[in-house]
PDB file of all heavy atoms in Angstrom:
ATOM      1  N   ILE A 565       1.661 -12.547  -0.373  1.00 76.00           N
ATOM      2  CA  ILE A 565       1.964 -11.081  -0.393  1.00 76.00           C
ATOM      3  C   ILE A 565       0.827 -10.303   0.201  1.00 76.00           C
ATOM      4  O   ILE A 565       0.841  -9.063   0.227  1.00 76.00           O
ATOM      5  CB  ILE A 565       2.261 -10.597  -1.788  1.00 76.00           C
ATOM      6  CG1 ILE A 565       1.025 -10.678  -2.727  1.00 76.00           C
ATOM      7  CG2 ILE A 565       3.446 -11.286  -2.379  1.00 76.00           C
ATOM      8  CD1 ILE A 565       1.218 -10.073  -4.085  1.00 76.00           C
ATOM      9  N   GLN A 566      -0.296 -10.931   0.652  1.00 72.00           N
ATOM     10  CA  GLN A 566      -1.452 -10.255   1.174  1.00 72.00           C
ATOM     11  C   GLN A 566      -1.123  -9.529   2.409  1.00 72.00           C
ATOM     12  O   GLN A 566      -1.715  -8.511   2.763  1.00 72.00           O
ATOM     13  CB  GLN A 566      -2.583 -11.248   1.383  1.00 72.00           C
ATOM     14  CG  GLN A 566      -3.291 -11.720   0.121  1.00 72.00           C
ATOM     15  CD  GLN A 566      -4.493 -12.658   0.483  1.00 72.00           C
ATOM     16  OE1 GLN A 566      -4.889 -12.739   1.609  1.00 72.00           O
ATOM     17  NE2 GLN A 566      -5.013 -13.258  -0.556  1.00 72.00           N
ATOM     18  N   SER A 567      -0.158 -10.015   3.237  1.00 71.00           N
ATOM     19  CA  SER A 567       0.192  -9.381   4.421  1.00 71.00           C
ATOM     20  C   SER A 567       1.127  -8.093   4.196  1.00 71.00           C
ATOM     21  O   SER A 567       1.458  -7.415   5.155  1.00 71.00           O
ATOM     22  CB  SER A 567       0.958 -10.325   5.379  1.00 71.00           C
ATOM     23  OG  SER A 567       2.085 -10.819   4.759  1.00 71.00           O
ATOM     24  N   ARG A 568       1.570  -7.929   2.979  1.00 76.00           N
ATOM     25  CA  ARG A 568       2.520  -6.848   2.680  1.00 76.00           C
ATOM     26  C   ARG A 568       1.915  -5.776   1.757  1.00 76.00           C
ATOM     27  O   ARG A 568       2.639  -4.721   1.538  1.00 76.00           O
ATOM     28  CB  ARG A 568       3.751  -7.382   1.954  1.00 76.00           C
ATOM     29  CG  ARG A 568       4.513  -8.414   2.820  1.00 76.00           C
ATOM     30  CD  ARG A 568       5.545  -9.111   2.003  1.00 76.00           C
ATOM     31  NE  ARG A 568       6.471  -8.198   1.395  1.00 76.00           N
ATOM     32  CZ  ARG A 568       7.347  -8.511   0.376  1.00 76.00           C
ATOM     33  NH1 ARG A 568       7.358  -9.749  -0.083  1.00 76.00           N
ATOM     34  NH2 ARG A 568       8.113  -7.588  -0.094  1.00 76.00           N
ATOM     35  N   ILE A 569       0.615  -5.936   1.256  1.00 79.00           N
ATOM     36  CA  ILE A 569       0.201  -5.009   0.267  1.00 79.00           C
ATOM     37  C   ILE A 569      -0.065  -3.654   0.788  1.00 79.00           C
ATOM     38  O   ILE A 569      -0.185  -2.662   0.052  1.00 79.00           O
ATOM     39  CB  ILE A 569      -1.047  -5.511  -0.464  1.00 79.00           C
ATOM     40  CG1 ILE A 569      -2.139  -5.808   0.591  1.00 79.00           C
ATOM     41  CG2 ILE A 569      -0.746  -6.865  -1.180  1.00 79.00           C
ATOM     42  CD1 ILE A 569      -3.498  -6.159  -0.106  1.00 79.00           C
ATOM     43  N   PHE A 570      -0.221  -3.542   2.113  1.00 77.00           N
ATOM     44  CA  PHE A 570      -0.510  -2.252   2.772  1.00 77.00           C
ATOM     45  C   PHE A 570       0.774  -1.556   3.196  1.00 77.00           C
ATOM     46  O   PHE A 570       0.721  -0.476   3.794  1.00 77.00           O
ATOM     47  CB  PHE A 570      -1.469  -2.344   3.911  1.00 77.00           C
ATOM     48  CG  PHE A 570      -2.828  -2.846   3.528  1.00 77.00           C
ATOM     49  CD1 PHE A 570      -3.266  -4.100   3.817  1.00 77.00           C
ATOM     50  CD2 PHE A 570      -3.684  -1.988   2.950  1.00 77.00           C
ATOM     51  CE1 PHE A 570      -4.503  -4.533   3.492  1.00 77.00           C
ATOM     52  CE2 PHE A 570      -5.007  -2.398   2.526  1.00 77.00           C
ATOM     53  CZ  PHE A 570      -5.442  -3.714   2.820  1.00 77.00           C
ATOM     54  N   ASP A 571       1.963  -2.214   2.977  1.00 77.00           N
ATOM     55  CA  ASP A 571       3.205  -1.607   3.353  1.00 77.00           C
ATOM     56  C   ASP A 571       3.502  -0.445   2.299  1.00 77.00           C
ATOM     57  O   ASP A 571       3.271  -0.600   1.136  1.00 77.00           O
ATOM     58  CB  ASP A 571       4.329  -2.584   3.303  1.00 77.00           C
ATOM     59  CG  ASP A 571       4.193  -3.607   4.423  1.00 77.00           C
ATOM     60  OD1 ASP A 571       3.364  -3.358   5.416  1.00 77.00           O
ATOM     61  OD2 ASP A 571       4.890  -4.709   4.388  1.00 77.00           O
ATOM     62  N   PRO A 572       4.139   0.609   2.774  1.00 71.00           N
ATOM     63  CA  PRO A 572       4.519   1.738   1.913  1.00 71.00           C
ATOM     64  C   PRO A 572       5.549   1.254   0.860  1.00 71.00           C
ATOM     65  O   PRO A 572       6.513   0.421   1.242  1.00 71.00           O
ATOM     66  CB  PRO A 572       5.099   2.806   2.796  1.00 71.00           C
ATOM     67  CG  PRO A 572       4.518   2.526   4.195  1.00 71.00           C
ATOM     68  CD  PRO A 572       4.375   1.028   4.248  1.00 71.00           C
ATOM     69  N   MET A 573       5.372   1.654  -0.322  1.00 57.00           N
ATOM     70  CA  MET A 573       6.253   1.424  -1.434  1.00 57.00           C
ATOM     71  C   MET A 573       6.316  -0.061  -1.910  1.00 57.00           C
ATOM     72  O   MET A 573       7.266  -0.546  -2.584  1.00 57.00           O
ATOM     73  CB  MET A 573       7.708   1.854  -1.107  1.00 57.00           C
ATOM     74  CG  MET A 573       7.942   3.287  -0.702  1.00 57.00           C
ATOM     75  SD  MET A 573       7.174   4.441  -1.930  1.00 57.00           S
ATOM     76  CE  MET A 573       8.209   4.178  -3.285  1.00 57.00           C
ATOM     77  N   PHE A 574       5.370  -0.845  -1.438  1.00 62.00           N
ATOM     78  CA  PHE A 574       5.252  -2.209  -1.899  1.00 62.00           C
ATOM     79  C   PHE A 574       4.334  -2.289  -3.180  1.00 62.00           C
ATOM     80  O   PHE A 574       3.223  -1.880  -3.097  1.00 62.00           O
ATOM     81  CB  PHE A 574       4.742  -3.141  -0.843  1.00 62.00           C
ATOM     82  CG  PHE A 574       4.608  -4.583  -1.322  1.00 62.00           C
ATOM     83  CD1 PHE A 574       5.661  -5.431  -1.421  1.00 62.00           C
ATOM     84  CD2 PHE A 574       3.353  -5.052  -1.663  1.00 62.00           C
ATOM     85  CE1 PHE A 574       5.519  -6.678  -1.854  1.00 62.00           C
ATOM     86  CE2 PHE A 574       3.175  -6.346  -2.157  1.00 62.00           C
ATOM     87  CZ  PHE A 574       4.283  -7.183  -2.209  1.00 62.00           C
ATOM     88  N   THR A 575       4.868  -2.740  -4.295  1.00 65.00           N
ATOM     89  CA  THR A 575       4.086  -2.878  -5.491  1.00 65.00           C
ATOM     90  C   THR A 575       4.573  -4.039  -6.278  1.00 65.00           C
ATOM     91  O   THR A 575       5.768  -4.384  -6.257  1.00 65.00           O
ATOM     92  CB  THR A 575       4.181  -1.560  -6.294  1.00 65.00           C
ATOM     93  OG1 THR A 575       3.376  -1.777  -7.527  1.00 65.00           O
ATOM     94  CG2 THR A 575       5.586  -1.205  -6.656  1.00 65.00           C
ATOM     95  N   THR A 576       3.681  -4.633  -6.996  1.00 55.00           N
ATOM     96  CA  THR A 576       4.057  -5.752  -7.951  1.00 55.00           C
ATOM     97  C   THR A 576       4.337  -5.186  -9.349  1.00 55.00           C
ATOM     98  O   THR A 576       4.580  -5.984 -10.296  1.00 55.00           O
ATOM     99  CB  THR A 576       2.941  -6.781  -8.005  1.00 55.00           C
ATOM    100  OG1 THR A 576       1.776  -6.164  -8.426  1.00 55.00           O
ATOM    101  CG2 THR A 576       2.743  -7.455  -6.682  1.00 55.00           C
ATOM    102  N   ARG A 577       4.272  -3.884  -9.507  1.00 54.00           N
ATOM    103  CA  ARG A 577       4.467  -3.265 -10.846  1.00 54.00           C
ATOM    104  C   ARG A 577       5.622  -2.274 -10.800  1.00 54.00           C
ATOM    105  O   ARG A 577       5.544  -1.207 -11.366  1.00 54.00           O
ATOM    106  CB  ARG A 577       3.163  -2.545 -11.347  1.00 54.00           C
ATOM    107  CG  ARG A 577       2.061  -3.513 -11.584  1.00 54.00           C
ATOM    108  CD  ARG A 577       0.728  -2.730 -11.964  1.00 54.00           C
ATOM    109  NE  ARG A 577       0.954  -1.992 -13.147  1.00 54.00           N
ATOM    110  CZ  ARG A 577       0.742  -2.410 -14.396  1.00 54.00           C
ATOM    111  NH1 ARG A 577       0.377  -3.625 -14.590  1.00 54.00           N
ATOM    112  NH2 ARG A 577       0.895  -1.608 -15.409  1.00 54.00           N
ATOM    113  N   MET A 578       6.639  -2.559 -10.054  1.00 52.00           N
ATOM    114  CA  MET A 578       7.850  -1.718  -9.942  1.00 52.00           C
ATOM    115  C   MET A 578       8.435  -1.530 -11.329  1.00 52.00           C
ATOM    116  O   MET A 578       8.677  -2.505 -12.031  1.00 52.00           O
ATOM    117  CB  MET A 578       8.834  -2.234  -8.963  1.00 52.00           C
ATOM    118  CG  MET A 578      10.030  -1.363  -8.822  1.00 52.00           C
ATOM    119  SD  MET A 578       9.702   0.277  -8.059  1.00 52.00           S
ATOM    120  CE  MET A 578       9.148  -0.293  -6.456  1.00 52.00           C
ATOM    121  N   GLY A 579       8.673  -0.289 -11.774  1.00 46.00           N
ATOM    122  CA  GLY A 579       9.282  -0.040 -13.047  1.00 46.00           C
ATOM    123  C   GLY A 579       8.289   0.002 -14.176  1.00 46.00           C
ATOM    124  O   GLY A 579       8.542   0.349 -15.328  1.00 46.00           O
ATOM    125  N   ARG A 580       6.928  -0.220 -13.878  1.00 47.00           N
ATOM    126  CA  ARG A 580       5.872  -0.175 -14.920  1.00 47.00           C
ATOM    127  C   ARG A 580       4.799   0.749 -14.455  1.00 47.00           C
ATOM    128  O   ARG A 580       3.599   0.606 -14.742  1.00 47.00           O
ATOM    129  CB  ARG A 580       5.320  -1.576 -15.094  1.00 47.00           C
ATOM    130  CG  ARG A 580       6.278  -2.608 -15.721  1.00 47.00           C
ATOM    131  CD  ARG A 580       5.590  -3.888 -15.894  1.00 47.00           C
ATOM    132  NE  ARG A 580       5.056  -4.530 -14.687  1.00 47.00           N
ATOM    133  CZ  ARG A 580       4.124  -5.417 -14.698  1.00 47.00           C
ATOM    134  NH1 ARG A 580       3.489  -5.836 -15.785  1.00 47.00           N
ATOM    135  NH2 ARG A 580       3.685  -5.915 -13.493  1.00 47.00           N
ATOM    136  N   GLY A 581       5.145   1.882 -13.723  1.00 48.00           N
ATOM    137  CA  GLY A 581       4.195   2.862 -13.308  1.00 48.00           C
ATOM    138  C   GLY A 581       3.686   2.645 -11.935  1.00 48.00           C
ATOM    139  O   GLY A 581       2.930   3.517 -11.400  1.00 48.00           O
ATOM    140  N   GLY A 582       3.985   1.508 -11.257  1.00 49.00           N
ATOM    141  CA  GLY A 582       3.566   1.335  -9.874  1.00 49.00           C
ATOM    142  C   GLY A 582       4.416   2.054  -8.903  1.00 49.00           C
ATOM    143  O   GLY A 582       5.663   1.993  -9.008  1.00 49.00           O
ATOM    144  N   VAL A 583       3.812   2.663  -7.891  1.00 54.00           N
ATOM    145  CA  VAL A 583       4.543   3.386  -6.862  1.00 54.00           C
ATOM    146  C   VAL A 583       4.497   2.632  -5.529  1.00 54.00           C
ATOM    147  O   VAL A 583       5.370   2.634  -4.684  1.00 54.00           O
ATOM    148  CB  VAL A 583       4.081   4.788  -6.681  1.00 54.00           C
ATOM    149  CG1 VAL A 583       4.829   5.519  -5.610  1.00 54.00           C
ATOM    150  CG2 VAL A 583       4.155   5.536  -8.028  1.00 54.00           C
ATOM    151  N   GLY A 584       3.357   2.028  -5.309  1.00 56.00           N
ATOM    152  CA  GLY A 584       3.163   1.320  -3.989  1.00 56.00           C
ATOM    153  C   GLY A 584       2.714   2.116  -2.804  1.00 56.00           C
ATOM    154  O   GLY A 584       3.061   1.900  -1.710  1.00 56.00           O
ATOM    155  N   LEU A 585       1.977   3.281  -3.157  1.00 66.00           N
ATOM    156  CA  LEU A 585       1.495   4.158  -2.056  1.00 66.00           C
ATOM    157  C   LEU A 585       0.042   4.168  -1.900  1.00 66.00           C
ATOM    158  O   LEU A 585      -0.473   4.624  -0.861  1.00 66.00           O
ATOM    159  CB  LEU A 585       2.025   5.616  -2.362  1.00 66.00           C
ATOM    160  CG  LEU A 585       3.496   5.881  -2.335  1.00 66.00           C
ATOM    161  CD1 LEU A 585       3.812   7.275  -2.737  1.00 66.00           C
ATOM    162  CD2 LEU A 585       4.073   5.541  -0.964  1.00 66.00           C
ATOM    163  N   GLY A 586      -0.744   3.694  -2.886  1.00 65.00           N
ATOM    164  CA  GLY A 586      -2.180   3.815  -2.843  1.00 65.00           C
ATOM    165  C   GLY A 586      -2.795   3.060  -1.684  1.00 65.00           C
ATOM    166  O   GLY A 586      -3.521   3.590  -0.897  1.00 65.00           O
ATOM    167  N   LEU A 587      -2.450   1.724  -1.566  1.00 81.00           N
ATOM    168  CA  LEU A 587      -3.074   0.942  -0.430  1.00 81.00           C
ATOM    169  C   LEU A 587      -2.475   1.358   0.858  1.00 81.00           C
ATOM    170  O   LEU A 587      -3.183   1.258   1.881  1.00 81.00           O
ATOM    171  CB  LEU A 587      -2.805  -0.530  -0.748  1.00 81.00           C
ATOM    172  CG  LEU A 587      -3.522  -1.128  -1.961  1.00 81.00           C
ATOM    173  CD1 LEU A 587      -3.212  -2.606  -2.076  1.00 81.00           C
ATOM    174  CD2 LEU A 587      -4.981  -0.923  -1.871  1.00 81.00           C
ATOM    175  N   SER A 588      -1.216   1.857   0.919  1.00 81.00           N
ATOM    176  CA  SER A 588      -0.637   2.386   2.141  1.00 81.00           C
ATOM    177  C   SER A 588      -1.452   3.611   2.626  1.00 81.00           C
ATOM    178  O   SER A 588      -1.707   3.735   3.809  1.00 81.00           O
ATOM    179  CB  SER A 588       0.825   2.762   1.967  1.00 81.00           C
ATOM    180  OG  SER A 588       1.345   3.204   3.098  1.00 81.00           O
ATOM    181  N   VAL A 589      -1.795   4.466   1.599  1.00 84.00           N
ATOM    182  CA  VAL A 589      -2.641   5.669   2.013  1.00 84.00           C
ATOM    183  C   VAL A 589      -3.970   5.198   2.500  1.00 84.00           C
ATOM    184  O   VAL A 589      -4.563   5.793   3.479  1.00 84.00           O
ATOM    185  CB  VAL A 589      -2.722   6.576   0.751  1.00 84.00           C
ATOM    186  CG1 VAL A 589      -3.820   7.665   0.985  1.00 84.00           C
ATOM    187  CG2 VAL A 589      -1.419   7.214   0.417  1.00 84.00           C
ATOM    188  N   VAL A 590      -4.528   4.205   1.830  1.00 88.00           N
ATOM    189  CA  VAL A 590      -5.861   3.659   2.271  1.00 88.00           C
ATOM    190  C   VAL A 590      -5.760   3.175   3.750  1.00 88.00           C
ATOM    191  O   VAL A 590      -6.638   3.554   4.655  1.00 88.00           O
ATOM    192  CB  VAL A 590      -6.286   2.450   1.393  1.00 88.00           C
ATOM    193  CG1 VAL A 590      -7.508   1.788   2.036  1.00 88.00           C
ATOM    194  CG2 VAL A 590      -6.712   3.087   0.011  1.00 88.00           C
ATOM    195  N   HIS A 591      -4.762   2.366   4.060  1.00 89.00           N
ATOM    196  CA  HIS A 591      -4.583   1.867   5.425  1.00 89.00           C
ATOM    197  C   HIS A 591      -4.411   3.049   6.420  1.00 89.00           C
ATOM    198  O   HIS A 591      -4.881   3.054   7.555  1.00 89.00           O
ATOM    199  CB  HIS A 591      -3.390   0.933   5.432  1.00 89.00           C
ATOM    200  CG  HIS A 591      -3.173   0.212   6.821  1.00 89.00           C
ATOM    201  ND1 HIS A 591      -2.419   0.832   7.775  1.00 89.00           N
ATOM    202  CD2 HIS A 591      -3.681  -0.948   7.271  1.00 89.00           C
ATOM    203  CE1 HIS A 591      -2.367   0.037   8.862  1.00 89.00           C
ATOM    204  NE2 HIS A 591      -3.126  -1.068   8.549  1.00 89.00           N
ATOM    205  N   ASN A 592      -3.632   4.017   6.019  1.00 87.00           N
ATOM    206  CA  ASN A 592      -3.315   5.123   6.848  1.00 87.00           C
ATOM    207  C   ASN A 592      -4.596   5.904   7.170  1.00 87.00           C
ATOM    208  O   ASN A 592      -4.876   6.252   8.400  1.00 87.00           O
ATOM    209  CB  ASN A 592      -2.322   6.052   6.161  1.00 87.00           C
ATOM    210  CG  ASN A 592      -1.819   7.180   7.124  1.00 87.00           C
ATOM    211  OD1 ASN A 592      -1.729   7.006   8.354  1.00 87.00           O
ATOM    212  ND2 ASN A 592      -1.545   8.307   6.575  1.00 87.00           N
ATOM    213  N   ILE A 593      -5.430   6.277   6.126  1.00 89.00           N
ATOM    214  CA  ILE A 593      -6.601   7.018   6.356  1.00 89.00           C
ATOM    215  C   ILE A 593      -7.666   6.227   7.234  1.00 89.00           C
ATOM    216  O   ILE A 593      -8.219   6.801   8.188  1.00 89.00           O
ATOM    217  CB  ILE A 593      -7.247   7.431   5.007  1.00 89.00           C
ATOM    218  CG1 ILE A 593      -6.276   8.387   4.280  1.00 89.00           C
ATOM    219  CG2 ILE A 593      -8.650   8.036   5.208  1.00 89.00           C
ATOM    220  CD1 ILE A 593      -6.776   8.781   2.901  1.00 89.00           C
ATOM    221  N   VAL A 594      -7.806   4.935   6.856  1.00 91.00           N
ATOM    222  CA  VAL A 594      -8.879   4.169   7.550  1.00 91.00           C
ATOM    223  C   VAL A 594      -8.504   3.962   9.065  1.00 91.00           C
ATOM    224  O   VAL A 594      -9.335   4.131   9.901  1.00 91.00           O
ATOM    225  CB  VAL A 594      -9.022   2.789   6.874  1.00 91.00           C
ATOM    226  CG1 VAL A 594      -9.935   1.884   7.657  1.00 91.00           C
ATOM    227  CG2 VAL A 594      -9.606   3.042   5.461  1.00 91.00           C
ATOM    228  N   THR A 595      -7.297   3.671   9.312  1.00 90.00           N
ATOM    229  CA  THR A 595      -6.883   3.354  10.683  1.00 90.00           C
ATOM    230  C   THR A 595      -6.654   4.663  11.517  1.00 90.00           C
ATOM    231  O   THR A 595      -6.998   4.640  12.713  1.00 90.00           O
ATOM    232  CB  THR A 595      -5.656   2.447  10.719  1.00 90.00           C
ATOM    233  OG1 THR A 595      -4.545   3.127  10.029  1.00 90.00           O
ATOM    234  CG2 THR A 595      -5.904   1.167  10.008  1.00 90.00           C
ATOM    235  N   ARG A 596      -6.087   5.670  10.937  1.00 86.00           N
ATOM    236  CA  ARG A 596      -5.720   6.813  11.742  1.00 86.00           C
ATOM    237  C   ARG A 596      -6.847   7.897  11.751  1.00 86.00           C
ATOM    238  O   ARG A 596      -7.112   8.453  12.822  1.00 86.00           O
ATOM    239  CB  ARG A 596      -4.478   7.462  11.202  1.00 86.00           C
ATOM    240  CG  ARG A 596      -3.235   6.535  11.376  1.00 86.00           C
ATOM    241  CD  ARG A 596      -1.950   7.276  10.971  1.00 86.00           C
ATOM    242  NE  ARG A 596      -0.778   6.408  11.052  1.00 86.00           N
ATOM    243  CZ  ARG A 596       0.444   6.845  10.823  1.00 86.00           C
ATOM    244  NH1 ARG A 596       0.706   8.080  10.397  1.00 86.00           N
ATOM    245  NH2 ARG A 596       1.427   5.982  10.985  1.00 86.00           N
ATOM    246  N   ASN A 597      -7.442   8.148  10.602  1.00 87.00           N
ATOM    247  CA  ASN A 597      -8.367   9.190  10.519  1.00 87.00           C
ATOM    248  C   ASN A 597      -9.821   8.815  10.769  1.00 87.00           C
ATOM    249  O   ASN A 597     -10.578   9.528  11.364  1.00 87.00           O
ATOM    250  CB  ASN A 597      -8.335   9.889   9.103  1.00 87.00           C
ATOM    251  CG  ASN A 597      -7.008  10.570   8.891  1.00 87.00           C
ATOM    252  OD1 ASN A 597      -6.058   9.918   8.529  1.00 87.00           O
ATOM    253  ND2 ASN A 597      -6.916  11.886   8.977  1.00 87.00           N
ATOM    254  N   MET A 598     -10.173   7.570  10.334  1.00 88.00           N
ATOM    255  CA  MET A 598     -11.567   7.166  10.427  1.00 88.00           C
ATOM    256  C   MET A 598     -11.821   6.179  11.538  1.00 88.00           C
ATOM    257  O   MET A 598     -12.984   5.795  11.703  1.00 88.00           O
ATOM    258  CB  MET A 598     -12.006   6.591   9.067  1.00 88.00           C
ATOM    259  CG  MET A 598     -11.697   7.432   7.850  1.00 88.00           C
ATOM    260  SD  MET A 598     -12.144   6.796   6.270  1.00 88.00           S
ATOM    261  CE  MET A 598     -13.924   6.826   6.469  1.00 88.00           C
TER     262      MET A 598
END
């Protein structure tokens, strides 16, 4: 799953408070803004 953790809405805690947006936001900021 290492190749999918930066995909939007991918989380291993679905239904337990996980949204799957944090690492996607990280990838977005690092690659596009920085």
Side-chain angles (χ1 to χ4, degrees):
I565 65 172
Q566 288 184 6
S567 60
R568 301 169 55 195
I569 61 174
F570 295 106
D571 292 343
M573 305 307 295
F574 176 79
T575 178
T576 59
R577 295 175 61 87
M578 181 63 69
R580 295 183 298 158
V583 180
L585 293 178
L587 294 181
S588 178
V589 172
V590 168
H591 185 272
N592 188 31
I593 294 176
V594 171
T595 57
R596 295 185 180 182
N597 296 78
M598 307 179 71

